[in-house]
Amino acid sequence: MAKIIVVTSGKGGVGKTTTSASFATGLALRGHKTVVIDFDVGLRNLDLIMGCERRVVFDFVNVITKEANLKQALIKDKRIDNLYVLAASQTRDKDALSQAGVGRVLEELSEDFEYIICDSPAGIEKGALMAMYYADEAVVVTNPEVSSVRDSDRVLGILASKTQRAEKGERVKEHLVLTRYVPSRVAEGEMLSVEDVCEILAIDLLGVIPESEDVLNASNSGVPVVLNEESKPGLAYGDMVDRFLGEDRPHRFLEAEKKGFLNRLLGK
C-alpha cells in the first residue's frame, strides 16, 4: 500500500512544485517506486520542472473522467526508472476534480507505487483541499517571512480538521520544509530564523533549502535541482529525502559564510 504525501503551503511562490519534484526524484533515486501528481488544474507547472512537458498526452482530469486510463496518462521519467509523473490539465478548471474521482485514482496508484506525492496548488481552494484530503503525511513548504508562515499555519489547521484522517480521529503527520533561506539576511533581522519558524508552526523540521540561482536554472532546464549534487539546494533536498526515510542528517547551510580577506578587501 502506497504512502500518500501532500506537498502544500498557504502562500504561492514558496517552492512547492520545486520541492515536489525534488522530493519525488530523491525517493525514486533511493529505489522507491514513486509517482508525483500535479493538482494545480488550469496552470500545470510540474511537467515543466520535471522536463516532460512535450510528452503530456493525457492528464489527471482525463483519468478522473475516465477519458483515459492511468497507463495512458502516466509519464515515465527518462532519467530514473522508478519515477512517474501525472500532469494536470491546462484546459479544465478545478471543479473537474471530485473527491470520489481523486480517491479512485489514488487507490489505483496505491496498488503499484510505494509513494504518491501530491503537488498541491497554493491556498485553501478546491484543488488544494483535494490534494490534502487523502494524505497520510504532509510536507508544509514555507519561506522565512511572516506572511508565508501565517498562511502555512492556516494550512495546518485544515490538515487537522478537513482530511480523511481527521474524520477518522487520526492525524496527518506534518513535516516542515523552509525554502529560500538566506542566513546573512536572518542575521540582519530581515528574515525569520529557523528557530522562529519552528516555534510558530510547532512541527518537525524536515529540511532547510538555501536561496540560490541553481533552483531557477534547474527549473528552466527541466531538471529537478536534487539531481545537481554540486549545488547547495540539491544537497539540501537530498538531505531532506534521507531524513524522511529515517536517516540522521545534520541541517546544513544555516550559517552565513564568512568572507575571506580578499572578498572583504574588495567589498564582496
Side-chain angles (χ1 to χ4, degrees):
M1 194 70 177
K3 183 168 285 187
I4 300 170
I5 304 156
V6 63
V7 179
T8 185
S9 76
K11 194 170 184 287
V14 300
K16 279 185 311 302
T17 301
T18 294
T19 298
S20 296
S22 282
F23 186 34
T25 300
L27 289 169
L29 279 170
R30 288 154 180 79
H32 301 282
K33 192 172 183 183
T34 304
V35 59
V36 56
I37 306 173
D38 191 346
F39 273 78
D40 204 355
V41 176
L43 293 177
R44 199 172 90 186
N45 291 313
L46 178 66
D47 55 308
L48 290 169
I49 291 179
M50 296 296 293
C52 62
E53 69 277 8
R54 296 187 180 184
R55 298 170 60 203
V56 178
V57 178
F58 294 107
D59 56 54
F60 188 21
V61 172
N62 292 140
V63 180
I64 287 175
T65 57
K66 300 185 179 180
E67 297 166 307
N69 59 42
L70 275 174
K71 190 173 182 180
Q72 292 173 296
L74 283 172
I75 301 170
K76 188 177 186 299
D77 190 87
K78 290 183 176 180
R79 295 161 293 220
I80 303 164
D81 285 340
N82 291 318
L83 183 59
Y84 292 77
V85 178
L86 184 54
S89 172
Q90 282 184 305
T91 59
R92 311 285 184 93
D93 61 30
K94 291 174 177 60
D95 288 334
L97 297 177
S98 67
Q99 190 167 293
V102 170
R104 177 178 55 80
V105 175
L106 293 176
E107 188 174 346
E108 191 174 341
L109 287 169
S110 292
E111 296 173 4
D112 199 33
F113 289 89
E114 289 182 70
Y115 290 102
I116 301 171
I117 310 302
C118 301
D119 180 30
S120 170
I124 53 175
E125 44 73 41
K126 185 173 182 179
L129 294 173
M130 289 293 170
M132 286 188 262
Y133 183 75
Y134 291 101
D136 299 309
E137 302 192 28
V139 173
V140 179
V141 183
T142 191
N143 293 156
E145 56 184 57
V146 173
S147 62
S148 181
V149 174
R150 181 189 61 190
D151 289 349
S152 292
D153 202 28
R154 288 191 69 194
V155 168
L156 291 175
I158 291 170
L159 288 167
S161 62
K162 294 187 177 181
T163 61
Q164 187 179 57
R165 280 184 168 261
E167 290 171 0
K168 296 177 180 178
E170 302 171 359
R171 65 181 290 268
V172 176
K173 186 176 181 181
E174 301 146 344
H175 309 272
L176 173 64
V177 171
L178 188 57
T179 57
R180 307 190 69 174
Y181 196 72
V182 185
S184 60
R185 294 188 64 191
V186 173
E188 292 168 7
E190 297 174 1
M191 280 184 171
L192 296 174
S193 68
V194 172
E195 292 77 14
D196 291 334
V197 178
C198 288
E199 185 177 346
I200 294 167
L201 296 180
I203 58 175
D204 292 338
L205 181 65
L206 188 62
V208 180
I209 314 300
E211 175 77 283
S212 171
E213 290 183 2
D214 291 331
V215 174
L216 180 60
N217 293 338
S219 297
N220 289 338
S221 302
V223 179
V225 72
V226 74
L227 293 174
N228 181 359
E229 295 183 351
E230 295 181 359
S231 74
K232 290 181 180 179
L235 292 169
Y237 273 121
D239 290 346
M240 167 198 157
V241 175
D242 289 336
R243 286 189 205 99
F244 180 81
L245 294 173
E247 296 187 34
D248 186 16
R249 290 281 185 274
H251 290 281
R252 296 189 267 184
F253 317 122
L254 302 187
E255 304 294 332
E257 291 184 0
K258 294 182 179 178
K259 293 180 180 179
F261 173 75
L262 186 59
N263 282 342
R264 290 200 304 272
L265 192 65
L266 297 175
K268 293 183 179 179

